[in-house]
Amino acid sequence: MSTASGVDRRALMGIAITMLFWASSFAGIRAGLESFSPGALVLFRFLIGSATLAAWVAFRESIRLPRLSDVPLVLAGGLVGITVYHICLAYGEQTVTAASASFIIGAVPIFTGFLAVVTLNERLGLRQWLGIVTSFTGIGLIALGEGGHLELEKGALAILLAAVCTSVYFVIQKRLLRTYTPLEVTCYAFWVGTALMLFFLPQLAAELPEAAPGPALAVVYLGIFPAAMAYVIWNYVFSRTTASVATSFMYLNPIAATIIAWIWLGETPSPLASLGGLLALGGVILTAKSIR
């Protein structure tokens, strides 16, 4: 059952799977950057992701071409949600840790909530606003726990821009999902976004033969799981609930990303960051009271 203010249990399961994949992507990007420049990494990732979706379409499920009137929205979604977002994120993670990057991206529900209210006529209840504020406070504590402060240097600003871009993309997705299936919306965004990254092809051609196996496999993982699979599942979630409620669960990302970065990269969260994680989780639980 889909509701105006909550999510059903299938959508909740989809959110959990997507959050796990996306949380792992922050550490995966840092691992991939050991052998690739940001542009080459992002192009390699989305060539893999686009090929995965193309294979699925070829063998399992056909998709429709977008209507001519929807082409500008499709192009905007690919540009903002795939090309700009992922280039900014990879660029930022050259100097920002995986955990800190996930904390900055944690601002996405704030931007998405406001955009959804303005452009999609969605409404947030008092409990949802309280959950958002609580979680955002927790994310602030997590950021402070990263060595005492989070400097707004170029990498952090690039990731903040990425957060704004993905918020805009979520609103575009919601509009397209009124007409198209989750797989169709994902394919449109990936193929447009990947095509717009092709100017990085010379860099990728030069770097791929010299890449170490570990970073190369990390990027392949990023293309198949946090990209292709997670985006299809996320669009399914978006087709069954509101943009603001769905993205509220992204506050779980910093918690999961911190754990994964600790296991994968050896990053250790501070006590203050742990406290912030508990607050962030509390805000998600508060927002999730609308589930039924």
Side-chain angles (χ1 to χ4, degrees):
M1 179 188 302
S2 177
T3 71
S5 60
V7 292
D8 63 29
R9 297 189 184 279
R10 287 187 179 181
L12 181 61
M13 182 175 295
I15 290 171
I17 294 170
T18 304
M19 292 302 102
L20 180 61
F21 283 151
W22 280 355
S24 70
S25 70
F26 295 100
I29 290 169
R30 291 279 287 182
L33 286 170
E34 294 177 7
S35 288
F36 297 97
S37 61
L41 184 152
V42 173
L43 176 58
F44 186 20
R45 175 183 182 179
F46 279 90
L47 285 173
I48 296 292
S50 293
T52 301
L53 291 175
W56 181 266
V57 169
F59 294 103
R60 298 284 298 184
E61 186 176 347
S62 62
I63 64 172
R64 300 164 293 171
L65 291 174
R67 298 181 307 196
L68 189 59
S69 60
D70 291 327
V71 168
L73 206 57
V74 167
L75 293 176
L79 172 63
V80 175
I82 302 298
T83 307
V84 179
Y85 169 76
H86 287 282
I87 290 173
C88 287
L89 181 59
Y91 173 82
E93 284 205 50
Q94 291 182 113
T95 56
V96 175
T97 66
S100 292
S102 71
F103 306 151
I104 299 169
I105 295 298
V108 165
I110 300 296
F111 300 127
T112 304
F114 287 123
L115 287 171
V117 169
V118 172
T119 65
L120 299 177
N121 296 319
E122 294 184 3
R123 293 185 178 182
L124 298 179
L126 178 60
R127 182 159 35 194
Q128 292 167 338
W129 280 114
L130 184 58
I132 287 174
V133 171
T134 301
S135 292
F136 197 57
T137 301
I139 287 171
L141 290 178
I142 294 171
L144 289 173
E146 287 287 293
H149 68 284
L150 186 61
E151 296 179 355
L152 286 178
E153 47 94 50
K154 290 182 179 179
L157 290 174
I159 297 173
L160 186 60
L161 175 59
V164 176
C165 286
T166 202
S167 300
V168 173
Y169 175 57
F170 288 159
V171 175
I172 292 173
Q173 280 179 305
K174 193 65 176 176
R175 288 187 178 276
L176 290 173
L177 286 166
R178 295 171 181 171
T179 306
Y180 304 99
T181 68
L183 178 62
E184 288 171 335
V185 172
T186 306
C187 287
Y188 301 155
F190 270 49
W191 295 340
V192 169
T194 303
L196 294 174
M197 297 174 192
L198 288 176
F199 58 88
F200 291 118
L201 191 57
Q203 288 178 243
L204 178 59
E207 295 172 14
L208 186 56
E210 305 296 326
L217 288 174
V219 179
V220 171
Y221 165 79
L222 289 171
I224 296 173
F225 296 100
M229 290 184 61
Y231 272 83
V232 172
I233 297 170
W234 185 249
N235 281 327
Y236 166 80
V237 169
F238 253 37
S239 70
R240 301 177 70 89
T241 188
T242 65
S244 51
V245 170
T247 54
S248 293
F249 289 87
M250 291 187 72
Y251 285 122
L252 287 170
N253 258 359
I255 301 168
T258 298
I259 295 170
I260 292 170
W262 172 59
I263 295 171
W264 193 342
L265 304 174
E267 293 181 2
T268 305
S270 69
L272 185 58
S274 300
L275 174 62
L278 291 175
L279 273 178
L281 180 59
V284 172
I285 293 172
L286 191 61
T287 302
K289 291 293 186 179
S290 59
I291 295 172
R292 45 179 165 152

